[in-house]
Amino acid sequence: MNRDLTRQLLQQHLMEMTLARQHLDYSYQQTATLPDTLAGAAPGQLESVEAFSSRFTRTVDLLVNKVLRSLDRVELKPEGTLLDVVNRAEKRGVVGQAADLREMKDVRNVIAHDYAGAKAAEIFAYCREQKPKLDAVCNRVAEYARQVLAGS
């Protein structure tokens, strides 16, 4: 893949992540007053919780599968597994611990397979608790990527 195209893809993926984060923030605000247990939540509120959880996982997916992989391509790193991608993010200093991103990706699979919503409260509490960490990682990755794009 040519260098200009890899840079364009990274820029595009950064914009997609920004948009996904705006949607996540909106859903976060919609669910801010709900208890983690979801006790007494109305159907419309549960729909907002589902949107929040889905947007959380979509943001994680964009971060790892699009932005970090595009960053690897721009920096001419070899293709690799999810573990390789998150370990490189940790080495860059944009992720405190690679295990945090791996866990977020693992929770994505739980969310995707919770068809009946049996784990909705547990998932909601996790996503709400992890959102500040995800925000911080996204901010650091975006800043790092902008520096890479400006310097290359």
Side-chain angles (χ1 to χ4, degrees):
M1 192 178 291
N2 94 24
R3 187 153 176 80
D4 287 338
L5 182 57
T6 59
R7 292 170 50 79
Q8 288 173 356
L9 282 174
L10 176 56
Q11 289 171 330
Q12 176 185 335
H13 294 150
L14 285 169
M15 288 188 307
E16 290 172 4
M17 185 176 73
T18 298
L19 185 58
R21 290 181 66 201
Q22 289 170 356
H23 293 190
L24 175 62
D25 287 342
Y26 175 82
S27 290
Y28 180 75
Q29 293 303 319
Q30 295 301 303
T31 60
T33 61
L34 294 175
D36 284 346
T37 62
L38 298 177
Q45 292 172 314
L46 292 175
E47 189 173 348
S48 294
V49 166
E50 186 175 340
F52 170 66
S53 299
S54 294
R55 289 172 174 181
F56 180 89
T57 61
R58 197 168 16 256
T59 302
V60 171
D61 281 346
L62 275 165
L63 171 65
V64 176
N65 295 331
K66 299 285 187 172
V67 175
L68 290 176
R69 286 190 185 276
S70 293
L71 188 56
D72 283 350
R73 286 185 197 104
V74 168
E75 292 187 323
L76 304 175
K77 304 291 184 190
E79 290 284 326
T81 65
L82 168 67
L83 186 59
D84 296 327
V85 171
V86 297
N87 283 341
R88 280 193 287 268
E90 182 180 42
K91 288 178 186 174
R92 289 179 180 114
V94 296
V95 175
Q97 295 182 4
D100 293 339
L101 273 183
R102 286 195 312 267
E103 180 180 284
M104 288 181 200
K105 284 290 286 178
D106 290 344
V107 168
R108 178 247 178 252
N109 293 332
V110 171
I111 293 169
H113 295 99
D114 186 33
Y115 303 116
K119 297 181 180 180
E122 179 183 338
I123 290 166
F124 175 58
Y126 174 84
C127 293
R128 184 164 25 194
E129 177 186 310
Q130 294 300 310
K131 185 184 178 300
K133 189 179 292 187
L134 177 60
D135 285 339
V137 170
C138 287
N139 289 340
R140 287 191 303 269
V141 168
E143 180 57 32
Y144 181 89
R146 281 190 282 277
Q147 289 173 6
V148 167
L149 288 168
S152 58

